[in-house]
Amino acid sequence: MSWKVANLCAVRKFGSPVRKQIIMLLADKASDDGSGIYCSKGYIRRHTELGESTVKRTVGELVKEGLLVETGQRRRCKNGYTVIYRLDLARIGNLEPIAEPPDDTPDLRGATEDGVPCEPSTGPSPDPVPRPERTPNHPKTIQEPPTRARDIDEVWDAFPVDRRRNKGVTLKEAASAVEEGYEVSELIAAVEIYARESAGFTRSKVSFSDNWFRQRKWVQRVEQLRAEKEEEMARADRHYEQIAKWVKERSWMCAHVTERQAKEAISRGYLSLEEARSAGVLR
């Protein structure tokens, strides 16, 4: 993780919300020189909640433009091999920066309400408290890394009390799963599913936490959860792709397209703001 790369990307324009979202995810995985990004397209889909076609198209565009570079190395994963990427920091640094809004506040020092100049005050300052030179959200301020939403200790807490055994081994196995690319939240969800499925079983019929992880009984449940989520995302992607098609073709169905749906289709890269306004679905 490199906050240097993330801050560089945060203050540059990439052309669309989808491109910016993917770039920021990749920047979060990069080293300080922009290299070492081991991030599959499936991982990008899960963490951005974008559709498969959107992710593939956007990553292809970034590679074609030279902002993202395939290093030629490949890393083995459960579905084959994943390409390792590098962000070209020089090219990114040459992109148009996010402009600060102009300060149109008039200088009223030394003037009264009617605009008549007056002598500068010699009394104490109305706000003698010193101000910091840079505000906390200044684009060049290095932010502290966020704390993880769900700590790995919650995996242990998710197990029914009577099935917890050998906490050290359980959490070590869970940490190994996280290193493989699985999320803590996914492991917790798998444990909760197992707890519901085996509720009421006798102790001789259940697995204790250490053996449950050693035997990788969480894998099937996590993969099932991922498949369900990806199918749900794919359905949503097809839905907004169809909405974009109606808008572009000026179909009579445009009358039923809401502003929220149009904005979502734009954020997914299926529709442009100009097309939505031209069809009358956005002002």
Side-chain angles (χ1 to χ4, degrees), residues 31-255:
S31 301
D32 282 346
D33 61 355
S35 66
I37 304 172
Y38 167 55
C39 199
S40 69
K41 294 182 179 66
Y43 181 92
I44 296 173
R45 290 202 311 274
R46 291 193 299 275
H47 285 260
T48 61
E49 300 186 22
L50 297 170
E52 180 179 1
S53 58
T54 302
V55 171
K56 287 182 177 179
R57 182 180 66 251
T58 306
V59 170
E61 290 174 356
L62 295 172
V63 171
K64 185 177 180 180
E65 294 169 16
L67 300 175
L68 187 63
V69 180
E70 296 183 2
T71 63
Q73 301 173 339
R74 292 176 180 268
R75 179 170 171 178
R76 191 172 185 82
C77 66
K78 63 180 183 300
N79 295 323
Y81 291 89
T82 298
V83 177
I84 300 179
Y85 295 102
R86 172 177 62 83
L87 288 170
D88 191 322
L89 303 186
R91 286 180 180 269
I92 291 174
N94 289 330
L95 293 176
E96 181 183 355
I98 297 174
E100 294 292 334
D103 186 5
D104 296 328
T105 306
D107 187 358
L108 299 179
R109 290 175 297 177
T112 60
E113 286 187 6
D114 57 2
V116 178
C118 63
E119 294 297 323
S121 172
T122 58
S125 169
D127 186 8
V129 180
R131 300 296 181 189
E133 294 183 3
R134 180 176 293 168
T135 58
N137 61 345
H138 190 281
K140 291 186 178 180
T141 300
I142 304 299
Q143 303 292 337
E144 291 293 327
T147 57
R148 290 199 300 178
R150 308 198 75 171
D151 191 85
I152 201 164
D153 281 344
E154 293 187 46
V155 174
W156 173 261
D157 297 334
F159 271 95
V161 176
D162 62 335
R163 301 180 206 174
R164 299 176 188 172
R165 187 176 69 184
N166 203 333
K167 183 176 181 180
V169 172
T170 300
L171 296 185
K172 180 180 178 182
E173 294 292 332
S176 296
V178 172
E179 290 178 1
E180 291 180 32
Y182 293 91
E183 298 293 323
V184 173
S185 58
E186 292 178 323
L187 300 179
I188 293 172
V191 171
E192 292 171 345
I193 291 172
Y194 172 67
R196 290 195 299 270
E197 291 174 347
S198 57
F201 287 11
T202 61
R203 288 173 63 87
S204 62
K205 298 294 184 181
V206 299
S207 292
F208 288 92
S209 60
D210 51 354
N211 282 340
W212 195 80
F213 268 102
R214 279 200 195 102
Q215 297 167 9
R216 299 177 67 83
K217 293 186 176 181
W218 46 272
V219 173
Q220 182 179 358
R221 293 171 176 85
V222 170
E223 294 301 331
Q224 180 182 349
L225 288 169
R226 286 183 173 184
E228 292 172 355
K229 185 173 182 180
E230 289 192 4
E231 176 56 31
E232 181 182 348
M233 290 166 56
R235 284 198 301 269
D237 216 36
R238 291 193 295 269
H239 174 65
Y240 288 107
E241 189 174 12
Q242 180 61 62
I243 286 176
K245 184 178 179 181
W246 289 337
V247 173
K248 291 176 180 178
E249 295 176 353
R250 308 292 179 86
S251 166
W252 61 272
M253 287 295 292
C254 285

